[in-house]
Amino acid sequence: MPASFPPAFLWGTATAAYQIEGAVREGGRTPSIWDTFSHTPGKVEGGDTGDTAVDHFHRRAQDVAMMADLGVNAYRFSVSWPRVQPTGRGPAVQRGLDFYRQLVDDLLEHDIRPVLTLYHWDLPQELESAGGWPARDTAYRFADYARIVADALGDRVDMWTTLNEPWCSAFLGYGSGVHAPGRTDPVAALRAAHHLNLAHGLGAQALRSALPARAQLSISLNPSVVRARSQSPSDLDARRRIDALANRVFDGPLLKGAYPRDLFEDTAHLTDWSFVHGEDLAVIKHPLDSLGLNYYAPAVVSDATDNRPDGRSERKDGHGASDHSPWPGADAVAFHQPPGERTEMGWSVDPSGLYDLLRHYAREAPGLPLMITENGAAYDDKPNADGSVHDPDRVRYLHGHLSAVQRAMADGADVRGYFLWSLMDNFEWAYGYGKRFGAVYVDYETQVRTPKSSAHWYGELARTGVLPPPPEA
Ligand code: IFM
């Protein structure tokens, strides 16, 4: 019996502005924290930057036509804040907004549903210089920016996402420092997490007041599927600590209007959390129309109180090498690589994690539709002599994860769509261009795009809604 997805299922691909657009100095755009970070020696592998990226800013129309040829019916992209509101304050720049208006018009012309993310990590540098996410004011600046974009595109975009993966912004940006702005201050990371939550709530309020009633609001989280290495009380407690910092610090306020009490206890030696104001929690718990979930691999943890990981060599949490922990108050937790297949990122291939994640949120947020807003894998793809690019590992990865989605749906999870990360190879943050996540291969010298075999496979699935039998190993 064919394994069909519902006819209204969204089949998309996803990208982010800084990873693909380039044109960083055009149209009045000012630098974001990622421009500053990537131009700082030693921060990004190979000294790569997003200056040109894959030149999507100039190849927009061609890229949309390519998506249409593939057969997808949705596209998740992000708006570059410093392109539409340089410096993060004051009036919008029309040329910046025009780019996104044109992009959305191109998508709609091809019957591709635009799914817009307001913030995928490119904070205007001027706002960082004024304090960045650890400063409360940044949340209010974000709400103003949300209003600008809603006023400009609300007549043609129905699906709105406030933030992408606030965990990375807070804990990689301000804790371990492997992401922009590269600060390594555990308290700043916790403050950033709260102000990102507040920005989401204030942004959602601004969107709701500016958008037509049909607009759907969401946020994309990257929850960790955290597994304890053993059932010993200390390993289970390590699991609890990481779960609090990876997941409940965000979904607690978002879904329940409260921070987890154990998180406050675990971090009491660092901060009294007085940066959380009484009224904030009601703002953050703004009603959502769906919850976006990004999933790549699970984490396996154990207690390391007597054997504290010492930074670079020991900390195998899959989030880059740093002498500083992205886990404030939970440094004495060791991360383990489970045996088995891994992607080029070193992340394990484990579709059961996606199943568990969907089932978890189906229970935690009953009645709230779920959307997989990112899933995919990096592999060392290379063109054949005839120019074609075969990526059977990625096809197997996608098949395994989509089977897990189907199982979760059969077991009651209300999943409305799936967005493959990523449409095309692009700037993979601190790894530069060395890691290829695309369904479409990009020759970075010529900017020529070549759909890989996974793109054809995925397009066929998007057109038919029928998951074919597993590819042969
Ligand atoms: O490339 C990133 C994306 O920007 C956010 N989620 C994870 C992807 C792969 O690392």
Side-chain angles (χ1 to χ4, degrees), residues 114-163:
V115 179
L116 183 154
T117 299
L118 286 168
Y119 186 73
H120 197 127
W121 307 353
D122 44 359
L123 185 71
Q125 177 58 46
E126 284 216 16
L127 291 185
E128 172 57 26
S129 304
W133 287 112
R136 187 174 175 88
D137 186 58
T138 305
Y140 292 90
R141 302 284 67 75
F142 176 78
D144 290 351
Y145 157 66
R147 174 88 208 203
I148 286 173
V149 183
D151 286 343
L153 300 175
D155 59 339
R156 54 198 74 194
V157 175
D158 286 345
M159 301 188 70
W160 293 75
T161 304
T162 52
L163 308 175

Tab-separated table of all heavy atoms in Angstrom, residues 114-163:
chain	number	residue	atom	x	y	z
A	114	PRO	N	4.944	31.086	0.223
A	114	PRO	CA	6.052	31.691	0.971
A	114	PRO	C	5.877	31.508	2.479
A	114	PRO	O	4.799	31.756	3.017
A	114	PRO	CB	5.974	33.176	0.612
A	114	PRO	CG	4.673	33.390	-0.084
A	114	PRO	CD	4.013	32.069	-0.326
A	115	VAL	N	6.917	31.082	3.147
A	115	VAL	CA	6.911	30.939	4.609
A	115	VAL	C	8.070	31.802	5.102
A	115	VAL	O	9.235	31.492	4.873
A	115	VAL	CB	7.100	29.462	5.013
A	115	VAL	CG1	7.121	29.308	6.523
A	115	VAL	CG2	5.985	28.602	4.410
A	116	LEU	N	7.716	32.915	5.735
A	116	LEU	CA	8.705	33.956	6.010
A	116	LEU	C	9.198	33.890	7.455
A	116	LEU	O	8.396	33.865	8.388
A	116	LEU	CB	8.049	35.313	5.728
A	116	LEU	CG	8.880	36.578	5.856
A	116	LEU	CD1	8.303	37.677	4.953
A	116	LEU	CD2	8.977	37.088	7.290
A	117	THR	N	10.512	33.861	7.621
A	117	THR	CA	11.123	33.948	8.953
A	117	THR	C	11.713	35.343	9.109
A	117	THR	O	12.462	35.811	8.248
A	117	THR	CB	12.237	32.898	9.107
A	117	THR	OG1	11.674	31.595	8.962
A	117	THR	CG2	12.897	32.987	10.480
A	118	LEU	N	11.386	35.996	10.221
A	118	LEU	CA	11.885	37.363	10.414
A	118	LEU	C	13.346	37.390	10.849
A	118	LEU	O	14.085	38.304	10.484
A	118	LEU	CB	11.042	38.077	11.476
A	118	LEU	CG	9.651	38.510	11.024
A	118	LEU	CD1	8.818	38.931	12.234
A	118	LEU	CD2	9.745	39.667	10.030
A	119	TYR	N	13.737	36.423	11.665
A	119	TYR	CA	15.097	36.497	12.214
A	119	TYR	C	15.799	35.151	12.153
A	119	TYR	O	15.441	34.229	12.866
A	119	TYR	CB	15.055	36.987	13.675
A	119	TYR	CG	16.444	37.211	14.238
A	119	TYR	CD1	17.209	38.296	13.823
A	119	TYR	CD2	17.009	36.326	15.145
A	119	TYR	CE1	18.501	38.493	14.299
A	119	TYR	CE2	18.294	36.505	15.627
A	119	TYR	CZ	19.030	37.595	15.201
A	119	TYR	OH	20.309	37.789	15.667
A	120	HIS	N	16.784	35.068	11.270
A	120	HIS	CA	17.638	33.874	11.209
A	120	HIS	C	19.077	34.354	11.436
A	120	HIS	O	19.916	34.287	10.550
A	120	HIS	CB	17.451	33.159	9.870
A	120	HIS	CG	17.936	31.745	9.836
A	120	HIS	ND1	17.159	30.689	9.420
A	120	HIS	CD2	19.132	31.201	10.149
A	120	HIS	CE1	17.857	29.564	9.473
A	120	HIS	NE2	19.066	29.852	9.908
A	121	TRP	N	19.299	34.965	12.612
A	121	TRP	CA	20.622	35.173	13.191
A	121	TRP	C	21.395	36.418	12.741
A	121	TRP	O	22.480	36.665	13.236
A	121	TRP	CB	21.529	33.953	12.977
A	121	TRP	CG	20.941	32.678	13.441
A	121	TRP	CD1	19.768	32.493	14.139
A	121	TRP	CD2	21.480	31.374	13.261
A	121	TRP	NE1	19.560	31.165	14.398
A	121	TRP	CE2	20.602	30.449	13.870
A	121	TRP	CE3	22.638	30.887	12.651
A	121	TRP	CZ2	20.842	29.071	13.878
A	121	TRP	CZ3	22.876	29.528	12.657
A	121	TRP	CH2	21.986	28.626	13.268
A	122	ASP	N	20.843	37.222	11.807
A	122	ASP	CA	21.640	38.354	11.314
A	122	ASP	C	21.211	39.663	11.967
A	122	ASP	O	20.659	40.550	11.325
A	122	ASP	CB	21.602	38.436	9.778
A	122	ASP	CG	20.207	38.240	9.200
A	122	ASP	OD1	19.245	38.021	9.981
A	122	ASP	OD2	20.059	38.321	7.958
A	123	LEU	N	21.520	39.782	13.264
A	123	LEU	CA	21.215	41.007	14.011
A	123	LEU	C	22.020	42.170	13.433
A	123	LEU	O	23.223	42.031	13.200
A	123	LEU	CB	21.606	40.806	15.481
A	123	LEU	CG	21.249	41.935	16.442
A	123	LEU	CD1	19.744	41.985	16.670
A	123	LEU	CD2	21.979	41.757	17.773
A	124	PRO	N	21.368	43.330	13.198
A	124	PRO	CA	22.163	44.491	12.773
A	124	PRO	C	23.292	44.756	13.773
A	124	PRO	O	23.066	44.764	14.989
A	124	PRO	CB	21.134	45.635	12.775
A	124	PRO	CG	19.814	44.954	12.535
A	124	PRO	CD	19.921	43.631	13.247
A	125	GLN	N	24.491	44.954	13.259
A	125	GLN	CA	25.658	45.137	14.133
A	125	GLN	C	25.445	46.283	15.112
A	125	GLN	O	25.884	46.225	16.263
A	125	GLN	CB	26.915	45.375	13.271
A	125	GLN	CG	28.187	45.640	14.071
A	125	GLN	CD	28.545	44.514	15.029
A	125	GLN	OE1	28.519	43.338	14.665
A	125	GLN	NE2	28.892	44.851	16.276
A	126	GLU	N	24.758	47.324	14.666
A	126	GLU	CA	24.572	48.475	15.574
A	126	GLU	C	23.783	48.084	16.813
A	126	GLU	O	23.995	48.629	17.888
A	126	GLU	CB	23.867	49.624	14.846
A	126	GLU	CG	24.817	50.328	13.917
A	126	GLU	CD	24.588	51.832	13.849
A	126	GLU	OE1	23.901	52.398	14.718
A	126	GLU	OE2	25.096	52.422	12.893
A	127	LEU	N	22.856	47.149	16.655
A	127	LEU	CA	22.106	46.712	17.841
A	127	LEU	C	22.990	45.879	18.756
A	127	LEU	O	22.856	45.933	19.980
A	127	LEU	CB	20.849	45.932	17.441
A	127	LEU	CG	19.739	46.741	16.760
A	127	LEU	CD1	18.507	45.858	16.545
A	127	LEU	CD2	19.358	47.973	17.580
A	128	GLU	N	23.888	45.103	18.180
A	128	GLU	CA	24.833	44.361	19.024
A	128	GLU	C	25.744	45.346	19.772
A	128	GLU	O	25.996	45.176	20.963
A	128	GLU	CB	25.676	43.406	18.151
A	128	GLU	CG	26.834	42.720	18.866
A	128	GLU	CD	26.426	41.902	20.095
A	128	GLU	OE1	25.270	41.437	20.159
A	128	GLU	OE2	27.276	41.755	21.001
A	129	SER	N	26.180	46.376	19.068
A	129	SER	CA	27.061	47.350	19.721
A	129	SER	C	26.327	48.062	20.854
A	129	SER	O	26.946	48.529	21.814
A	129	SER	CB	27.569	48.379	18.699
A	129	SER	OG	28.200	47.701	17.638
A	130	ALA	N	24.997	48.108	20.759
A	130	ALA	CA	24.208	48.737	21.830
A	130	ALA	C	23.839	47.731	22.925
A	130	ALA	O	23.067	48.059	23.820
A	130	ALA	CB	22.943	49.357	21.230
A	131	GLY	N	24.352	46.507	22.830
A	131	GLY	CA	24.077	45.523	23.891
A	131	GLY	C	23.634	44.171	23.366
A	131	GLY	O	23.714	43.172	24.066
A	132	GLY	N	23.106	44.128	22.145
A	132	GLY	CA	22.714	42.841	21.548
A	132	GLY	C	21.565	42.182	22.298
A	132	GLY	O	20.816	42.823	23.041
A	133	TRP	N	21.424	40.882	22.120
A	133	TRP	CA	20.301	40.169	22.740
A	133	TRP	C	20.339	40.152	24.267
A	133	TRP	O	19.280	40.049	24.903
A	133	TRP	CB	20.191	38.747	22.174
A	133	TRP	CG	19.653	38.744	20.769
A	133	TRP	CD1	20.318	38.399	19.640
A	133	TRP	CD2	18.328	39.125	20.363
A	133	TRP	NE1	19.497	38.542	18.539
A	133	TRP	CE2	18.271	38.993	18.962
A	133	TRP	CE3	17.192	39.586	21.028
A	133	TRP	CZ2	17.114	39.280	18.216
A	133	TRP	CZ3	16.040	39.880	20.296
A	133	TRP	CH2	16.018	39.725	18.915
A	134	PRO	N	21.508	40.266	24.912
A	134	PRO	CA	21.455	40.361	26.382
A	134	PRO	C	20.764	41.643	26.864
A	134	PRO	O	20.411	41.753	28.034
A	134	PRO	CB	22.932	40.352	26.792
A	134	PRO	CG	23.621	39.626	25.667
A	134	PRO	CD	22.871	40.039	24.418
A	135	ALA	N	20.578	42.616	25.971
A	135	ALA	CA	19.924	43.874	26.359
A	135	ALA	C	18.428	43.817	26.029
A	135	ALA	O	18.039	43.441	24.923
A	135	ALA	CB	20.579	45.045	25.623
A	136	ARG	N	17.619	44.217	26.975
A	136	ARG	CA	16.162	44.134	26.825
A	136	ARG	C	15.654	44.938	25.617
A	136	ARG	O	14.725	44.528	24.930
A	136	ARG	CB	15.536	44.652	28.122
A	136	ARG	CG	14.056	44.498	28.211
A	136	ARG	CD	13.550	44.916	29.592
A	136	ARG	NE	12.101	44.863	29.609
A	136	ARG	CZ	11.384	43.780	29.922
A	136	ARG	NH1	11.988	42.667	30.258
A	136	ARG	NH2	10.066	43.797	29.882
A	137	ASP	N	16.301	46.062	25.372
A	137	ASP	CA	15.817	46.939	24.303
A	137	ASP	C	15.779	46.235	22.935
A	137	ASP	O	14.942	46.566	22.092
A	137	ASP	CB	16.721	48.182	24.222
A	137	ASP	CG	16.177	49.188	23.226
A	137	ASP	OD1	15.016	49.630	23.395
A	137	ASP	OD2	16.889	49.496	22.247
A	138	THR	N	16.658	45.261	22.730
A	138	THR	CA	16.709	44.580	21.429
A	138	THR	C	15.369	43.902	21.119
A	138	THR	O	14.946	43.849	19.956
A	138	THR	CB	17.876	43.567	21.404
A	138	THR	OG1	19.071	44.284	21.735
A	138	THR	CG2	18.057	42.911	20.057
A	139	ALA	N	14.687	43.415	22.157
A	139	ALA	CA	13.388	42.770	21.938
A	139	ALA	C	12.375	43.783	21.385
A	139	ALA	O	11.562	43.455	20.510
A	139	ALA	CB	12.882	42.167	23.240
A	140	TYR	N	12.428	45.012	21.893
A	140	TYR	CA	11.498	46.043	21.403
A	140	TYR	C	11.855	46.477	19.982
A	140	TYR	O	10.982	46.745	19.160
A	140	TYR	CB	11.493	47.237	22.370
A	140	TYR	CG	10.880	46.847	23.699
A	140	TYR	CD1	11.676	46.348	24.724
A	140	TYR	CD2	9.509	46.913	23.898
A	140	TYR	CE1	11.123	45.941	25.925
A	140	TYR	CE2	8.942	46.506	25.097
A	140	TYR	CZ	9.753	46.011	26.110
A	140	TYR	OH	9.189	45.595	27.286
A	141	ARG	N	13.157	46.501	19.703
A	141	ARG	CA	13.579	46.841	18.329
A	141	ARG	C	13.056	45.754	17.365
A	141	ARG	O	12.649	46.043	16.255
A	141	ARG	CB	15.103	46.939	18.228
A	141	ARG	CG	15.778	47.954	19.149
A	141	ARG	CD	15.600	49.385	18.644
A	141	ARG	NE	14.215	49.854	18.687
A	141	ARG	CZ	13.536	50.216	19.790
A	141	ARG	NH1	14.111	50.192	20.970
A	141	ARG	NH2	12.273	50.603	19.728
A	142	PHE	N	13.098	44.503	17.809
A	142	PHE	CA	12.623	43.410	16.952
A	142	PHE	C	11.129	43.578	16.652
A	142	PHE	O	10.680	43.353	15.514
A	142	PHE	CB	12.874	42.054	17.627
A	142	PHE	CG	12.324	40.895	16.830
A	142	PHE	CD1	13.001	40.422	15.711
A	142	PHE	CD2	11.117	40.289	17.173
A	142	PHE	CE1	12.489	39.375	14.948
A	142	PHE	CE2	10.603	39.238	16.423
A	142	PHE	CZ	11.293	38.780	15.308
A	143	ALA	N	10.358	43.991	17.650
A	143	ALA	CA	8.913	44.158	17.425
A	143	ALA	C	8.665	45.259	16.385
A	143	ALA	O	7.780	45.127	15.518
A	143	ALA	CB	8.215	44.473	18.739
A	144	ASP	N	9.454	46.331	16.441
A	144	ASP	CA	9.295	47.407	15.442
A	144	ASP	C	9.611	46.878	14.038
A	144	ASP	O	8.927	47.186	13.067
A	144	ASP	CB	10.254	48.574	15.734
A	144	ASP	CG	9.849	49.344	16.979
A	144	ASP	OD1	8.749	49.088	17.513
A	144	ASP	OD2	10.655	50.194	17.424
A	145	TYR	N	10.670	46.104	13.968
A	145	TYR	CA	11.083	45.516	12.679
A	145	TYR	C	9.991	44.562	12.162
A	145	TYR	O	9.644	44.578	10.967
A	145	TYR	CB	12.431	44.826	12.886
A	145	TYR	CG	12.780	43.738	11.906
A	145	TYR	CD1	12.999	44.009	10.551
A	145	TYR	CD2	12.931	42.414	12.339
A	145	TYR	CE1	13.336	42.990	9.664
A	145	TYR	CE2	13.270	41.400	11.462
A	145	TYR	CZ	13.461	41.686	10.124
A	145	TYR	OH	13.788	40.688	9.254
A	146	ALA	N	9.413	43.768	13.060
A	146	ALA	CA	8.346	42.835	12.654
A	146	ALA	C	7.187	43.615	12.026
A	146	ALA	O	6.613	43.214	11.007
A	146	ALA	CB	7.856	42.040	13.866
A	147	ARG	N	6.875	44.731	12.624
A	147	ARG	CA	5.763	45.570	12.144
A	147	ARG	C	6.066	46.097	10.733
A	147	ARG	O	5.197	46.099	9.855
A	147	ARG	CB	5.609	46.726	13.152
A	147	ARG	CG	4.628	47.763	12.780
A	147	ARG	CD	3.279	47.350	13.298
A	147	ARG	NE	2.247	47.916	12.459
A	147	ARG	CZ	1.008	48.117	12.863
A	147	ARG	NH1	0.646	47.781	14.068
A	147	ARG	NH2	0.119	48.618	12.050
A	148	ILE	N	7.311	46.502	10.525
A	148	ILE	CA	7.706	47.019	9.197
A	148	ILE	C	7.500	45.949	8.130
A	148	ILE	O	6.933	46.192	7.067
A	148	ILE	CB	9.199	47.454	9.230
A	148	ILE	CG1	9.352	48.764	9.990
A	148	ILE	CG2	9.773	47.571	7.825
A	148	ILE	CD1	10.805	49.182	10.218
A	149	VAL	N	7.965	44.739	8.426
A	149	VAL	CA	7.878	43.676	7.413
A	149	VAL	C	6.415	43.264	7.220
A	149	VAL	O	5.966	43.014	6.090
A	149	VAL	CB	8.781	42.474	7.792
A	149	VAL	CG1	8.747	41.412	6.704
A	149	VAL	CG2	10.226	42.934	8.024
A	150	ALA	N	5.663	43.223	8.314
A	150	ALA	CA	4.240	42.864	8.198
A	150	ALA	C	3.496	43.885	7.340
A	150	ALA	O	2.683	43.520	6.476
A	150	ALA	CB	3.613	42.779	9.582
A	151	ASP	N	3.764	45.170	7.553
A	151	ASP	CA	3.088	46.206	6.755
A	151	ASP	C	3.436	46.064	5.273
A	151	ASP	O	2.614	46.306	4.400
A	151	ASP	CB	3.489	47.611	7.241
A	151	ASP	CG	2.815	47.965	8.562
A	151	ASP	OD1	1.821	47.286	8.919
A	151	ASP	OD2	3.286	48.893	9.244
A	152	ALA	N	4.680	45.665	5.004
A	152	ALA	CA	5.121	45.604	3.604
A	152	ALA	C	4.653	44.334	2.899
A	152	ALA	O	4.380	44.357	1.695
A	152	ALA	CB	6.651	45.682	3.545
A	153	LEU	N	4.560	43.210	3.605
A	153	LEU	CA	4.324	41.930	2.916
A	153	LEU	C	3.083	41.182	3.399
A	153	LEU	O	2.789	40.090	2.911
A	153	LEU	CB	5.559	41.018	3.081
A	153	LEU	CG	6.876	41.570	2.513
A	153	LEU	CD1	8.028	40.648	2.851
A	153	LEU	CD2	6.789	41.752	0.999
A	154	GLY	N	2.383	41.779	4.335
A	154	GLY	CA	1.233	41.085	4.935
A	154	GLY	C	0.112	40.808	3.949
A	154	GLY	O	-0.710	39.908	4.178
A	155	ASP	N	0.078	41.558	2.850
A	155	ASP	CA	-0.984	41.313	1.869
A	155	ASP	C	-0.711	40.068	1.037
A	155	ASP	O	-1.591	39.565	0.339
A	155	ASP	CB	-1.138	42.532	0.939
A	155	ASP	CG	0.150	42.841	0.190
A	155	ASP	OD1	1.233	42.406	0.644
A	155	ASP	OD2	0.086	43.518	-0.854
A	156	ARG	N	0.528	39.534	1.095
A	156	ARG	CA	0.846	38.394	0.215
A	156	ARG	C	1.529	37.213	0.899
A	156	ARG	O	1.731	36.189	0.262
A	156	ARG	CB	1.674	38.876	-0.983
A	156	ARG	CG	2.909	39.641	-0.632
A	156	ARG	CD	3.422	40.448	-1.816
A	156	ARG	NE	2.564	41.598	-2.045
A	156	ARG	CZ	2.572	42.354	-3.131
A	156	ARG	NH1	3.393	42.088	-4.107
A	156	ARG	NH2	1.776	43.390	-3.254
A	157	VAL	N	1.896	37.374	2.164
A	157	VAL	CA	2.501	36.239	2.894
A	157	VAL	C	1.554	35.839	4.016
A	157	VAL	O	1.133	36.687	4.803
A	157	VAL	CB	3.875	36.630	3.493
A	157	VAL	CG1	4.430	35.489	4.351
A	157	VAL	CG2	4.863	36.994	2.393
A	158	ASP	N	1.223	34.561	4.085
A	158	ASP	CA	0.282	34.069	5.109
A	158	ASP	C	0.968	33.394	6.278
A	158	ASP	O	0.377	33.222	7.335
A	158	ASP	CB	-0.653	33.003	4.503
A	158	ASP	CG	-1.674	33.621	3.597
A	158	ASP	OD1	-1.842	34.856	3.663
A	158	ASP	OD2	-2.294	32.869	2.826
A	159	MET	N	2.195	32.917	6.056
A	159	MET	CA	2.830	32.116	7.112
A	159	MET	C	4.065	32.852	7.623
A	159	MET	O	5.008	33.097	6.860
A	159	MET	CB	3.196	30.733	6.572
A	159	MET	CG	1.940	30.026	6.071
A	159	MET	SD	2.235	28.321	5.619
A	159	MET	CE	2.509	27.602	7.203
A	160	TRP	N	4.028	33.193	8.909
A	160	TRP	CA	5.035	34.050	9.517
A	160	TRP	C	5.706	33.337	10.686
A	160	TRP	O	5.026	32.810	11.570
A	160	TRP	CB	4.387	35.342	10.016
A	160	TRP	CG	3.875	36.198	8.898
A	160	TRP	CD1	2.751	35.983	8.146
A	160	TRP	CD2	4.494	37.371	8.381
A	160	TRP	NE1	2.631	36.965	7.187
A	160	TRP	CE2	3.691	37.837	7.315
A	160	TRP	CE3	5.647	38.085	8.720
A	160	TRP	CZ2	4.008	38.974	6.587
A	160	TRP	CZ3	5.961	39.229	7.997
A	160	TRP	CH2	5.143	39.661	6.940
A	161	THR	N	7.023	33.377	10.683
A	161	THR	CA	7.811	32.801	11.778
A	161	THR	C	8.627	33.934	12.390
A	161	THR	O	9.294	34.680	11.656
A	161	THR	CB	8.769	31.725	11.227
A	161	THR	OG1	7.989	30.756	10.523
A	161	THR	CG2	9.531	31.036	12.325
A	162	THR	N	8.570	34.041	13.703
A	162	THR	CA	9.327	35.127	14.338
A	162	THR	C	10.831	34.823	14.308
A	162	THR	O	11.600	35.537	13.663
A	162	THR	CB	8.867	35.320	15.795
A	162	THR	OG1	8.921	34.042	16.446
A	162	THR	CG2	7.463	35.903	15.849
A	163	LEU	N	11.239	33.773	15.013
A	163	LEU	CA	12.674	33.498	15.183
A	163	LEU	C	13.014	32.109	14.682
A	163	LEU	O	12.205	31.182	14.796
A	163	LEU	CB	13.059	33.533	16.665
A	163	LEU	CG	12.670	34.757	17.487
A	163	LEU	CD1	13.047	34.536	18.948
A	163	LEU	CD2	13.358	36.009	16.950
